[in-house]
Amino acid sequence: MCIDLSFLKHILVVVLLSGGVTLAEAPPFSDYCDRLQQEIQGKKHGFLAGNVTYYVGGFHASWEQKESETLGLTHPFHHDLRSRGVGLKQSHATGHGDTGLGNDFSGWEFYKDTRVLYGSVIIGDKTHLHPMPRRMIWRPDRMICEYEVEGVRLREEKFIAANDAACSIITASQPVTLRFEGQSFFGRHSVSSTATVEYVAECNAIHLVEGGTTKCRPETDRTEQIGPIMYEGMSTVIAASRDFATNHRFTTGKQGQAEYEFEVACDSRGVVLVWAMDDEYRHAINHATDVLGKQEIQIGAASPTPKAAQVVQYQAARKAMLAKTREMNRQLNEQIPWFRCSDRKFEDIYYYLWSLYLMYYIDVQRGWEMEPHTQTAVNNFLGMHRYDATFQINVGAWAGDKAHYAYGNVLTWKHLFENGRYRRSQDGVIALPDNKGTTWHSGVYGNEVSEHVLGAWKIYQHTGDLEFLRDCYEGYFRQIFQEQIAPFFSNHFEVAAVLIAMARLTGHIEDVAQWQRLVPLGADQIRTWFDQRWQANGHKNFFAGPKSGMLMTTGFWHLRSKYFPREYATKMVASWAVDNEKGFYGEIFPLAMSRQAMNRFASNVDHSFGYTPDTAYFVLSGMFHQRLGDPAWKLTLNHLENYNFNSEWGLPVAPEAYTRDGKLFGDQYSNFNAGKILLYLEGIAGLEYSIPERRLVVHDTMPKDWKWMEVRLPIQMPGEQEISWPVIRYERAGGSGEAMKLVRVTDCPLQVIVEPWSEGQRIDRVEVFPARLVDSKASRFPDYTTYRFEDEVSAAEVRLNLQPSSFVE
């Protein structure tokens, strides 16, 4: 075979590896729940997630502590997307103003009005009201709170079981009495309460039937109305492993809410508290008592002693907690790409962001919520958002079980289109609501769905699942873009090309002409589009700058198009990205608005959202798309280190935003940060793969500060029962002068194509293992060379010896 490497001065080709495809085993198990644990007392509120049950421990108003967590279950809440806030009111508008049943422009943060179990400690004749934890530890699977009251040490573990019951396990170093109080739902927007409460002796449980009315804003004009609360008619069950038959009290609050109080003993043998909520009482009581070992008690003695029953209930609860740990560890070990590098901090950020992305998955199976999907938040903007899905869809494409973690992120939006919940502009652009639930949508419209097309295509590339592609195209993409493909920052060229490919693959060849008519794909026409917008309105070296002068990061988002002229990209990044006087470089990169524009635009909103995670993803991913090398990796590490890692606390964080002066702002566990996961996999690691085309491409931009990194991908090949885990290893030795760069792929079931980044250096020598290349040629990107290995090669390596560009022999 003739290997064309003539553009290199010195070549050494060494054969070390040969073909033979083998399926790599899954990476070694890691206890990520333990690794990710954080001590958060006074820093963050607690957060736990089930499927439709969530828990917030304490209350922080945008990172300012207003209420500390305490013993019990302060804010468990049911959230199955039946409502957007506190109200369950039918919209009476017509046309696209009809938001359905459950939209609410107020009361999104209703969790902070729940008051379920607030605990106090009674020692002798003294009551210690709602003690504050001495330490509070967050993990993806549970929270651990440690208290000390008059020398008595109490330990509490809180978690949400597999059946969506919230549970607290409390032990005490000495015998004490615990008193808990709470009430039915009644919030700051509530008008009346019709809740009832009773004690269920056979289950040692409290049964609440929620009810009442609330102020809400279901219409797009946001006028205040009165409607039923979102929990109307639902049953809440609170059960305990210690008997409180003679130690409970029910009262009626000033607004009619049902109030309750009970006392239980606690010692080293522990007490278990369980909360469950459902539309049907029988389900709620079963979920609560199942966590308390109802089945184990029934299997055992006919009438166990109270002490024996307590032991069984305590052990059953711990068993349920360990099952939650196993499940979270299973997802973090088996369902996401394995990542390691020479700087552990960036590993921790990576897994922390993935843990939140996975925790937010919800599967309702009702109404317009028939597919599992992730969400952005549950205690602020409820559910998934059309805009946020532009990157959350792409993240799901890298998960192992894509039918669960990827498909629904795209297809959940199809329900809105099928049910006529959209708005059509005069020029034929169809816009979908930005947020939805089972029977409601927000009534606020946008047209980022064209970006969903690219995400769906990536899922297809990662699965080869033609039925999924058909579900996306037929009855959805095929119709929604029939008249117009609205650009999302110059993505319309790629969207049209993908729609053409979808039409052909799904047997709708007649659609090809339609897509070609809507978006002509001639090279000259594409180039003209970009040339016309370059340096628009007098903004030198900036793209699509507006007349107003408000230069936002959105100008950089166009770099994500593969058609964007690279010479424009290099000038724009050099002029604006790394400039801290007029540009976007701030304490954290990037500022949402250029410093030049900040001098003219200074609203409170602009100040609060000075730095945001979505803008960072779109800006930085564009730099990686253009393979800009040093600016891409340096600015990415700058962002991750300063945005997603709190150096004072030594902890990964995921805030919704930072203010212009660098203060934490907004939601504390925000999946708005999900796009950063793609900066690791698609940016720094430079990974692409296609099962239909049977190829894996590696075009890295590994930071020069790192000595090595390694990624293992969960790939499910068609017809294979087991997941394959190809290993992609990157190594670098040397400094700013002579350096060695290595990229190695092993156990890959796909054709391997390696395009190593030469770091702007002169390549002195290349070693290729094995020497079974289809071809090797210069890439269209400077500093990259393409090495395409034969199909049968499952293990391949490219090693570069690099010299400074100015080096003279």
Side-chain angles (χ1 to χ4, degrees):
M1 176 183 296
C2 178
I3 306 173
D4 179 16
L5 298 173
S6 58
F7 57 94
L8 299 175
K9 288 188 176 180
H10 304 283
I11 306 169
L12 173 63
V13 179
V14 184
V15 179
L16 290 181
L17 304 173
S18 60
V21 177
T22 60
L23 293 182
E25 295 181 356
F29 172 83
S30 293
D31 188 345
Y32 290 111
C33 290
D34 179 72
R35 174 171 176 170
L36 292 172
Q37 71 177 16
Q38 304 180 354
E39 208 294 297
I40 62 171
Q41 176 59 24
K43 305 178 182 78
K44 297 193 268 186
H45 61 70
F47 172 63
L48 298 171
N51 181 31
V52 296
T53 292
Y54 301 88
Y55 182 76
V56 174
F59 170 55
H60 286 231
S62 188
W63 295 85
E64 182 180 349
Q65 184 171 339
K66 298 293 186 180
E67 173 194 78
S68 179
E69 174 66 308
T70 191
L71 285 162
L73 297 167
T74 53
H75 302 296
F77 59 101
H78 182 93
H79 159 55
D80 63 359
L81 292 168
R82 67 182 60 199
S83 172
R84 193 187 189 195
V86 290
L88 202 59
K89 181 77 172 177
Q90 178 70 51
S91 169
H92 294 294
T94 58
H96 60 254
D98 179 4
T99 61
L101 172 65
N103 183 52
D104 189 358
F105 284 104
S106 63
W108 295 343
E109 296 181 322
F110 67 82
Y111 79 92
K112 61 190 178 188
D113 290 331
T114 61
R115 190 174 179 85
V116 177
L117 287 174
Y118 280 67
S120 301
V121 182
I122 301 173
I123 301 176
D125 58 357
K126 187 174 181 181
T127 299
H128 300 268
L129 191 69
H130 310 157
M132 181 185 302
R134 183 172 54 87
R135 296 179 69 228
M136 182 162 70
I137 296 170
W138 175 90
R139 299 161 38 125
D141 60 327
R142 72 182 85 161
M143 288 167 51
I144 303 168
C145 296
E146 297 175 357
Y147 311 83
E148 188 163 342
V149 181
E150 284 194 8
V152 178
R153 296 183 304 278
L154 297 100
R155 178 181 171 87
E156 180 179 31
E157 294 174 289
K158 312 185 191 203
F159 67 98
I160 298 175
N163 66 3
D164 261 350
C167 183
S168 168
I169 303 173
I170 308 172
T171 57
S173 61
Q174 300 175 37
V176 295
T177 298
L178 303 180
R179 176 183 297 157
F180 296 95
E181 75 267 4
Q183 65 178 34
S184 61
F185 181 80
F186 196 91
R188 64 202 64 197
H189 298 282
S190 293
V191 175
S192 65
S193 175
T194 59
T196 62
V197 62
E198 63 177 341
Y199 176 71
V200 183
E202 59 269 28
C203 298
N204 188 42
I206 291 171
H207 173 213
L208 289 153
V209 178
E210 303 280 359
T213 58
T214 183
K215 298 174 184 177
C216 56
R217 301 177 187 272
E219 310 290 5
T220 54
D221 63 6
R222 309 198 182 196
T223 55
E224 189 172 88
Q225 301 182 31
I226 305 296
I229 64 170
M230 71 294 185
Y231 286 161
E232 181 67 32
M234 295 189 71
S235 284
T236 297
V237 169
I238 298 167
S241 62
R242 299 283 185 113
D243 183 71
F244 60 89
T246 59
N247 291 301
H248 68 269
R249 183 168 65 95
F250 300 143
T251 56
T252 301
K254 293 180 181 179
Q255 290 82 22
Q257 69 268 41
E259 300 174 334
Y260 49 87
E261 178 183 288
F262 64 91
E263 294 179 2
V264 290
C266 183
D267 51 29
S268 59
R269 293 175 297 172
V271 62
V272 181
L273 307 169
V274 185
W275 172 96
M277 196 171 194
D278 199 275
D279 284 309
E280 295 190 36
Y281 166 66
R282 63 187 179 92
H283 292 322
I285 193 71
N286 284 338
H287 291 161
T289 55
D290 282 350
V291 173
L292 289 172
K294 176 182 66 178
Q295 293 181 340
E296 285 84 348
I297 292 174
Q298 290 174 345
I299 293 171
S303 299
T305 65
K307 285 187 176 181
Q310 290 168 15
V311 171
V312 172
Q313 290 172 327
Y314 178 82
Q315 292 175 342
R318 291 203 65 82
K319 182 178 178 182
M321 183 175 68
L322 293 175
K324 180 59 177 273
T325 302
R326 284 194 301 273
E327 174 56 20
M328 285 306 305
N329 270 328
R330 183 194 69 81
Q331 293 180 32
L332 290 166
N333 276 277
E334 299 177 15
Q335 290 299 329
I336 68 172
W338 185 92
F339 174 79
R340 295 292 188 273
C341 70
S342 55
D343 192 331
R344 184 182 174 93
K345 171 172 52 184
F346 293 98
E347 295 178 12
D348 290 342
I349 294 170
Y350 173 82
Y351 280 100
Y352 180 67
L353 297 180
W354 263 117
S355 73
L356 298 181
Y357 181 86
L358 296 171
M359 289 174 72
Y360 278 117
Y361 265 80
I362 186 171
D363 189 5
V364 177
Q365 293 297 311
R366 189 169 68 251
W368 301 336
E369 289 288 327
M370 295 303 295
E371 299 85 12
H373 60 77
T374 192
Q375 304 169 91
T376 295
V378 294
N379 61 337
N380 188 326
F381 287 98
L382 304 181
M384 196 178 194
H385 287 249
R386 179 202 65 245
Y387 168 76
D388 306 2
T390 58
F391 45 85
Q392 291 166 349
I393 288 170
N394 284 280
V395 175
W398 290 96
D401 182 359
K402 294 173 184 60
H404 182 79
Y405 294 107
Y407 294 3
N409 293 332
V410 180
L411 292 173
T412 190
W413 301 100
K414 183 176 180 179
H415 298 287
L416 293 176
F417 182 73
E418 289 179 324
N419 287 275
R421 305 295 175 147
Y422 56 82
R423 185 177 64 191
R424 186 192 303 270
S425 68
Q426 290 184 344
D427 58 355
V429 174
I430 291 179
L432 292 184
D434 77 328
N435 188 208
K436 73 174 184 68
T438 55
T439 56
W440 61 270
H441 66 84
S442 66
V444 178
Y445 297 87
N447 53 23
E448 298 94 346
V449 178
S450 62
E451 191 72 8
H452 295 196
V453 174
L454 301 182
W457 183 249
K458 183 176 295 179
I459 294 170
Y460 170 70
Q461 293 298 316
H462 289 190
T463 60
D465 189 340
L466 192 56
E467 288 309 306
F468 163 73
L469 200 68
R470 195 181 307 278
D471 284 344
C472 293
Y473 188 72
E474 296 178 350
Y476 187 27
F477 295 158
R478 188 186 186 205
Q479 283 75 25
I480 202 170
F481 300 111
Q482 200 166 48
E483 295 182 46
Q484 285 286 345
I485 299 175
F488 180 76
F489 303 97
S490 302
N491 75 345
H492 52 306
F493 301 112
E494 288 169 273
V495 171
V498 165
L499 289 173
I500 289 169
M502 288 183 176
R504 287 173 172 153
L505 286 166
T506 56
H508 297 284
I509 194 71
E510 68 277 9
D511 295 350
V512 171
Q514 167 76 351
W515 305 131
Q516 291 174 333
R517 182 186 64 80
L518 288 177
V519 183
L521 294 174
D524 291 342
Q525 293 163 303
I526 294 173
R527 180 64 191 229
T528 298
W529 162 274
F530 289 104
D531 287 346
Q532 289 173 342
R533 289 157 180 79
W534 177 242
Q535 302 188 134
N537 297 306
H539 300 294
K540 186 177 180 180
N541 292 334
F542 199 81
F543 188 80
K547 292 180 180 179
S548 68
M550 184 184 282
L551 299 187
M552 309 290 287
T553 57
T554 48
F556 287 94
W557 299 11
H558 299 268
L559 274 64
R560 299 173 66 247
S561 170
K562 69 179 182 180
Y563 300 105
F564 191 90
R566 193 174 186 277
E567 65 269 26
Y568 293 172
T570 56
K571 291 177 182 179
M572 190 169 171
V573 168
S575 297
W576 292 93
V578 296
D579 186 292
N580 61 3
E581 293 184 4
K582 74 175 189 302
F584 293 84
Y585 194 89
E587 181 179 337
I588 309 165
F589 179 85
L591 284 160
M593 187 185 300
S594 72
R595 291 188 184 278
Q596 175 177 298
M598 282 182 186
N599 296 328
R600 296 177 55 192
F601 305 95
S603 71
N604 290 333
V605 171
D606 291 331
H607 176 80
S608 297
F609 291 89
Y611 303 88
T612 58
D614 60 316
T615 58
Y617 162 68
F618 286 121
V619 170
L620 294 166
S621 65
M623 295 184 191
F624 285 116
H625 274 74
Q626 296 295 326
R627 308 225 194 148
L628 296 183
D630 282 341
W633 74 260
K634 287 181 178 180
L635 294 173
T636 295
L637 295 197
N638 167 279
H639 177 84
L640 292 171
E641 188 170 23
N642 290 288
Y643 193 105
N644 292 111
F645 193 85
N646 188 296
S647 58
E648 179 185 352
W649 302 338
L651 302 175
V653 292
E656 182 180 358
Y658 283 81
T659 62
R660 284 184 182 175
D661 52 6
K663 293 180 181 178
L664 293 157
F665 182 80
D667 186 18
Q668 296 187 339
Y669 298 85
S670 178
N671 199 26
F672 208 23
N673 287 270
K676 266 71 103 40
I677 294 170
L678 302 171
L679 298 181
Y680 281 87
L681 299 172
E682 299 176 5
I684 292 172
L687 297 174
E688 298 178 26
Y689 74 91
S690 170
I691 286 180
E693 297 176 19
R694 299 190 65 85
R695 60 178 173 81
L696 168 71
V697 183
V698 185
H699 50 80
D700 76 287
T701 311
M702 187 176 84
K704 296 176 185 176
D705 291 351
W706 291 0
K707 295 179 180 179
W708 60 272
M709 67 177 177
E710 186 171 305
V711 180
R712 305 184 186 187
L713 293 178
I715 295 179
Q716 183 85 53
M717 296 297 292
E720 296 285 347
Q721 294 297 317
E722 299 295 323
I723 289 179
S724 176
W725 289 86
V727 179
I728 303 94
R729 174 83 178 184
Y730 313 75
E731 295 179 9
R732 187 183 191 279
S736 57
E738 185 175 356
M740 184 280 293
K741 180 80 174 286
L742 174 148
V743 177
R744 180 191 300 125
V745 180
T746 55
D747 301 308
C748 186
L750 305 169
Q751 181 189 30
V752 178
I753 302 170
V754 179
E755 299 179 355
W757 177 44
S758 65
E759 303 180 356
Q761 305 283 68
R762 184 175 64 82
I763 300 175
D764 183 57
R765 186 173 65 176
V766 179
E767 300 176 36
V768 182
F769 317 128
R772 296 171 57 189
L773 293 175
V774 175
D775 58 40
S776 56
K777 58 185 179 181
S779 167
R780 70 185 183 91
F781 296 101
D783 303 326
Y784 287 87
T785 303
T786 301
Y787 302 89
R788 186 187 308 270
F789 291 83
E790 295 177 358
D791 289 350
E792 296 79 13
V793 173
S794 65
E797 177 178 311
V798 177
R799 188 188 303 256
L800 305 180
N801 277 24
L802 305 175
Q803 295 282 355
S805 298
S806 58
F807 178 78
V808 178
E809 295 185 56

